[in-house]
Amino acid sequence: MLSMELYCAAVLEGNARARFVGVVSALEPLAIQDSLGDRVADFVDESIGRLATVDVADDVRQSLAGRVRELKRESVRQALRRLCGQWFPGRRSAWDAIDRAYRLRSQLVHDGVLADADIDLGVVTEKVGAIIRAIYEQSARHPFWVKPTLPD
């Protein structure tokens, strides 16, 4: 539901950059992150235990422990890649479009600008929007009146 709320808010946004960031961000609630398994969990737990011996401020130690703890699960990007294979089997183009959009969003959010100023965010937003609508259609198990056109 949150994904749909973010998507709807994003498509109503007047600013192209904010619309793009919102549409791509609507993917994240769909990315159910799986565990990376017991061996990884054991390694992470051991690493967190070793933090007690590191001579740093307690708030830094707690921050590190929290960040390391997240390594027990796949990243959002890994989850999206895995799920993309389920949503669109044999359609590498869907993952390529999501991956590219996710990288572009990171550039905008973290750097404030795109490395390539000639990228048309409107086109990228439309591609990701079509993918998201196709995911919603599958999840609803009900065909939409207007079919999303997936990237080639």
Side-chain angles (χ1 to χ4, degrees):
M1 183 63 115
L2 177 60
S3 173
M4 290 181 177
E5 292 168 349
L6 291 171
Y7 177 78
C8 288
V11 297
L12 295 174
E13 174 59 54
N15 178 282
R17 291 185 336 154
R19 184 180 321 112
F20 169 76
V21 170
V23 167
V24 176
S25 295
L27 288 165
E28 289 195 35
L30 301 173
I32 308 303
Q33 297 167 272
D34 280 350
S35 167
L36 292 177
D38 292 339
R39 292 172 120 178
V40 171
D42 290 345
F43 171 79
V44 168
D45 289 340
E46 179 183 317
S47 298
I48 291 170
R50 293 181 65 195
L51 282 173
T53 65
V54 178
D55 185 24
V56 294
D58 192 51
D59 61 329
V60 173
R61 183 178 297 106
Q62 294 302 319
S63 176
L64 287 170
R67 292 164 63 187
V68 171
R69 195 172 289 112
E70 290 297 315
L71 296 175
K72 290 182 180 184
R73 299 181 305 156
E74 64 188 350
S75 68
V76 169
R77 183 177 178 277
Q78 288 170 319
L80 286 172
R81 183 178 188 144
R82 177 180 46 78
L83 292 168
C84 205
Q86 294 172 13
W87 294 323
F88 309 107
R91 293 210 59 160
R92 171 79 189 194
S93 60
W95 166 246
D96 290 343
I98 288 173
D99 190 41
R100 178 175 186 243
Y102 212 70
R103 281 185 280 118
L104 293 172
R105 188 197 74 155
S106 289
Q107 287 176 22
L108 274 178
V109 170
H110 300 291
D111 303 333
V113 295
L114 295 174
D116 179 355
D118 292 330
I119 292 174
D120 185 344
L121 285 180
V123 171
V124 180
T125 303
E126 285 300 315
K127 285 182 182 179
V128 175
I131 291 168
I132 290 174
R133 289 190 310 276
I135 293 167
Y136 295 160
E137 185 178 45
Q138 286 181 36
S139 297
R141 293 186 181 97
H142 183 75
F144 289 2
W145 287 99
V146 178
K147 289 280 187 204
T149 305
L150 295 174
D152 296 331

